Amino acid sequence: MESFDNQSLIKRIQAGDMRAVSRLISLSENRVPRARDVQSILFKQATPAHVIGVTGSPGAGKSTLVDRLAIEFHNRGERVAILAIDPSSPFSGGAVLGDRIRMNASAERKDIFIRSMATRGALGGLSAATQDAIQVLEAAGFTRIFLETVGVGQAEVDIVRTADTCLVVLVPGMGDSVQAIKAGILEIADLFVINKADRDGADLLHKDIRLMLSLTDQDPASWEIPILKTIATTGEGSTELSQSVAEHHQWLTTSTAGHERRRRIVLDRMRRIAAEELLHTFLERHADDLQTFSQACLNREITPYEAVIKLLQN
Ligand SMILES: Nc1nc2c(ncn2[C@@H]2O[C@H](COP(=O)(O)OP(=O)(O)OP(=O)(O)O)[C@@H](O)[C@H]2O)c(=O)[nH]1
Ligand SMILES: [Mg+2]
């Protein structure tokens, strides 16, 4: 039996041991109390990684693209990890997910870490679990961490927007014109990728995106959003894309705007934690009152809003 007490867990993670990394990610997902102690020690000694979120319509080629990018960075001697985020129904089975994260080349390299994160594993919410996993990977010395979302719901967008760099992957000729893309996804893009550029309509889509970008107010001091074409299946364009990704990271770490952005990400995270903790405290403290008040609400003696305000003032 392997020893996984806190001390050895910390030492093994800092040495980059993949099994220990997996272990702590699972402990964090399951909200095992000691995971937080270990996380706290690791956090203060770790170097921040570059977190790259990848989103886009189903079947756009996100996995194939992430696979390519992972290999690009890995070939340059970087430590690469991939987290596939699946907030969809807790009933979506492992086989389905396995099919949606084709990472063939990366999977062959033993030192590229690949893991899927699904709602069913995470007690405190998928977003918190993802952030915890990133912290563990940073402590283990990973320098580029990809978050691929399996799906395009609000939950995915919320998770990807906590990344340092957001890639939005679009495909030509699927009725996938800019207008058809779910609002909220376009706004988070730091880079647009037109994948499947081997298909007709890539130039048209490029024009559409450029037009859309020209219509939005852009601070001249801020990052200029590039639009890149790729063919993920052949690897065409993936070197250029990886360079653009690295440039965005460079911009983040050297500009004031980039610094502000990193602060916003941390603030976002603190707000989420606060919301979670406050709700938890509220529900615990007022368990009995909530019962009483819910009956009063059913009797139409008080509105749910008034009930909560009353409890908060207690
Ligand atoms: N023609 C062409 N096919 C591609 C390209 N990139 C990916 N594909 C194919 O598109 C299909 C979907 O690719 P995936 O990488 O699984 O796409 P995904 O966006 O990760 O899919 P989900 O995770 O299910 O949303 C696969 O059959 C790929 O081989 C490309 O550039 N050109
Ligand atoms: Mg996929």
Side-chain angles (χ1 to χ4, degrees):
M1 191 64 193
E2 288 176 278
S3 162
F4 271 119
D5 60 83
N6 288 3
Q7 267 319 312
S8 68
L9 197 55
I10 288 168
K11 262 184 38 205
R12 289 175 57 175
I13 286 170
Q14 287 177 329
D17 178 335
M18 306 277 235
R19 287 170 56 92
V21 167
S22 284
R23 179 63 180 246
L24 181 56
I25 292 177
S26 299
L27 292 177
S28 299
E29 267 183 338
N30 296 321
R31 287 288 164 110
V32 175
R34 75 183 175 100
R36 204 169 275 180
D37 304 335
V38 174
Q39 286 272 23
S40 167
I41 293 164
L42 289 173
F43 179 80
K44 288 156 198 163
Q45 297 172 12
T47 314
H50 180 207
V51 181
I52 304 141
V54 181
T55 189
S57 15
K62 299 179 293 293
S63 298
T64 318
L65 206 58
V66 168
D67 197 28
R68 290 277 173 193
L69 287 174
I71 297 294
E72 287 278 344
F73 286 112
H74 188 257
N75 283 345
R76 288 178 223 161
E78 293 208 33
R79 307 248 351 257
V80 179
I82 301 166
L83 299 175
I85 316 292
D86 180 17
S88 59
S89 118
F91 303 111
S92 74
V96 177
L97 187 63
D99 195 48
R100 301 191 77 176
I101 47 167
R102 290 179 204 90
M103 305 283 178
N104 300 334
S106 302
E108 272 172 21
R109 307 215 176 165
K110 294 290 167 249
D111 52 345
I112 294 184
F113 183 90
I114 305 177
R115 183 182 174 112
S116 63
M117 314 270 311
T119 316
R120 58 188 176 281
L123 285 180
L126 191 52
S127 173
T130 304
Q131 298 303 327
D132 285 344
I134 290 170
Q135 264 176 225
V136 179
L137 291 166
E138 286 177 335
F142 286 91
T143 50
R144 307 265 177 195
I145 302 172
F146 290 92
L147 307 180
E148 183 203 339
T149 60
V150 179
V152 279
Q154 193 54 48
E156 287 90 332
V157 173
D158 284 347
I159 290 173
V160 167
R161 54 177 294 140
T162 67
D164 298 314
T165 300
C166 299
L167 307 191
V168 172
V169 184
L170 304 176
V171 197
M174 275 193 2
D176 213 1
S177 80
V178 174
Q179 290 82 356
I181 307 293
K182 201 175 166 303
I185 280 204
L186 295 176
E187 289 91 88
I188 64 169
D190 297 303
L191 282 92
F192 280 104
V193 183
I194 299 177
N195 189 42
K196 307 200 185 181
D198 50 325
R199 291 190 180 173
D200 286 345
D203 290 332
L204 205 64
L205 182 55
H206 193 283
K207 247 171 70 188
D208 271 2
I209 301 170
R210 254 209 344 246
L211 179 66
M212 181 211 60
L213 288 176
S214 72
L215 295 176
T216 54
D217 291 331
Q218 287 218 40
D219 177 357
S222 77
W223 168 256
E224 199 172 316
I225 302 170
I227 310 167
L228 290 108
K229 289 186 200 164
T230 57
I231 305 174
T233 36
T234 63
E236 215 173 302
S238 55
T239 304
E240 292 80 357
L241 178 57
S242 71
Q243 277 158 1
S244 249
V245 166
E247 274 167 29
H248 186 254
H249 184 227
Q250 185 69 15
W251 172 78
L252 269 181
T253 46
T254 52
S255 69
T256 339
H259 183 78
E260 276 313 306
R261 158 115 180 221
R262 290 206 136 176
R263 190 200 298 278
R264 180 183 63 69
I265 293 171
V266 176
L267 279 172
D268 247 36
R269 193 166 172 212
M270 287 167 68
R271 274 197 208 102
R272 271 174 220 262
I273 294 171
E276 222 178 89
E277 293 290 322
L278 286 171
L279 179 62
H280 183 76
T281 313
F282 176 80
L283 294 179
E284 278 213 326
R285 181 178 302 160
H286 298 293
D288 295 340
D289 298 333
L290 282 164
Q291 285 297 328
T292 317
F293 276 104
S294 61
Q295 190 53 51
C297 290
L298 288 174
N299 298 344
R300 302 259 157 180
E301 293 157 12
I302 187 170
T303 69
Y305 182 82
E306 289 163 347
V308 170
I309 297 294
K310 237 190 174 110
L311 288 176
L312 283 173
Q313 284 164 347
N314 263 338

